[in-house]
Amino acid sequence: MTTDSTHAKKRSLLRKLLYAAAAAILLGSLLASYMHWEANHLELNENTAPAGCVPDLSGLRILVLSDVHTNLPLLEKAVKMAEQARPDMIVFLGDLYTDFMRATHAGDYITQMKKLSSIAPAYACLGNHDMALADNVERILKEGGFTLLRNSAAFVTIPRLGNAEFKLVGLGDVREGDFFPERCMTPRTFAEDSAMPTIVLSHNPKGRELLDGYRWDLMLSGHTHGGQIRLPFSSTPLLASEGETMYSGFYPYEGRQVFVTRGIGYMGPGRFNCPPEINLIVIP
């Protein structure tokens, strides 16, 4: 083999490697652009609860928001969508901020929360990212007109449904050691309060595993981001964590129901096959 032939083969191989590298960079850029676009393409999804999951509250409309993660533009979009949803009540399930990002523009967040609470009575619990900034987050929620339930409960009356009443429980975050159901929930062994429906707000759906001894009908949760990256033809999201098996939608659990929203914001590069959402839960 001649020297010229050897050099020609090396040049050909180098060209192929450069072409492959260019193609990989182009595909990577396109994928990153798409993931960023999808992560900012917010949806309003209506979800009908399984029949009979919450007794005596047929027709109740609950708007569910979660996991803003310091994304004010998406929160603003969510508020505009909420105005069209006609909910009886609004719940926010935590992670307003991302704890390692600087918390700024609190006044802008208060403004958006006030808009939400002017639509319908509004309630909230805290998420794991909120805990490092709890004082600031609590101030935003309270000044925004939300009733913050942190291991506490409220009795909610819905005038549109003939003053139907239920117990709404808000728990702290299970990962952060702020989860105390004994302060606000009724043990199954107690007779009182047995006829009143109970809805639980728990940022992390893992909280369900600590509530077997208490009375409740429906849990509303976020935290998972729906898995954030869901590959086609795969049932398990790429970013599933903590062994979680509940990612988005309704799931039966021990004769009760858990609903998990994909949430508004995101972490990392973006979303794939898992767009952000707010949800209108309708009790049949």
Side-chain angles (χ1 to χ4, degrees):
M1 181 180 295
T2 66
T3 302
D4 289 343
S5 177
T6 300
H7 287 319
K9 287 186 175 182
K10 287 182 178 179
R11 287 194 297 270
S12 176
L13 177 60
L14 180 60
R15 279 196 299 270
K16 290 178 180 179
L17 290 174
L18 290 173
Y19 289 150
I25 292 171
L26 177 60
L27 289 173
S29 298
L30 290 173
L31 179 60
S33 296
Y34 174 80
M35 290 176 67
H36 177 75
W37 174 85
E38 182 176 300
N40 289 279
H41 188 68
L42 184 66
E43 299 178 349
L44 168 61
N45 293 320
E46 183 171 322
N47 304 83
T48 301
C53 77
V54 186
D56 304 321
L57 291 179
S58 178
L60 178 65
R61 297 165 65 87
I62 307 173
L63 189 75
V64 177
L65 307 93
S66 188
D67 297 275
V68 174
H69 283 294
T70 324
N71 194 321
L72 183 61
L74 274 184
L75 178 59
E76 292 171 345
K77 290 181 182 179
V79 171
K80 292 178 181 179
M81 291 179 173
E83 292 171 347
Q84 310 300 318
R86 297 180 293 107
D88 296 302
M89 59 182 293
I90 295 173
V91 298
F92 176 67
L93 303 176
D95 280 3
L96 180 67
Y97 284 143
T98 303
D99 55 10
F100 55 79
M101 297 177 68
R102 185 182 176 195
T104 59
H105 306 292
D108 293 332
Y109 285 88
I110 292 171
T111 296
Q112 298 307 314
M113 290 300 179
K114 282 182 176 178
K115 290 180 180 180
L116 286 170
S117 64
S118 71
I119 298 170
Y123 303 85
C125 66
L126 297 182
N128 56 298
H129 283 272
D130 295 324
M131 296 302 293
L133 306 163
D135 290 344
N136 195 19
V137 172
E138 289 188 17
R139 179 175 69 88
I140 290 171
L141 292 171
K142 291 177 180 178
E143 291 188 20
F146 276 67
T147 298
L148 176 62
L149 299 176
R150 185 173 178 182
N151 297 301
S152 58
F155 293 94
V156 181
T157 300
I158 307 297
R160 190 180 64 83
L161 301 181
N163 291 323
E165 189 177 25
F166 65 95
K167 185 176 182 178
L168 182 67
V169 171
L171 296 169
D173 187 73
V174 65
R175 285 180 58 182
E176 297 297 319
D178 189 44
F179 194 87
F180 300 104
E182 66 275 10
R183 298 179 183 176
C184 53
M185 297 187 71
T186 303
R188 282 187 169 186
T189 54
F190 285 17
E192 63 264 32
D193 201 29
S194 59
M196 181 170 286
T198 299
I199 297 176
V200 176
L201 311 182
S202 174
H203 175 72
N204 191 332
K206 277 287 185 183
R208 68 189 183 273
E209 298 173 357
L210 302 179
L211 298 182
D212 289 347
Y214 296 93
R215 297 181 184 276
W216 57 280
D217 301 286
L218 171 65
M219 174 185 285
L220 303 176
S221 297
H223 183 65
T224 68
H225 303 182
Q228 202 165 299
I229 298 176
R230 301 182 67 99
L231 300 178
F233 312 111
S234 174
S235 60
T236 302
L238 192 62
L239 297 186
S241 63
E242 303 169 334
E244 184 55 79
T245 57
M246 297 184 180
Y247 313 116
S248 64
F250 280 98
Y251 296 86
Y253 179 77
E254 301 290 336
R256 283 79 66 94
Q257 288 288 328
V258 177
F259 177 81
V260 185
T261 177
R262 297 195 298 263
I264 295 173
Y266 61 97
M267 305 284 287
R271 290 176 177 265
F272 184 82
N273 196 29
C274 187
E277 65 177 355
I278 63 174
N279 305 86
L280 181 66
I281 305 297
V282 180
I283 306 298

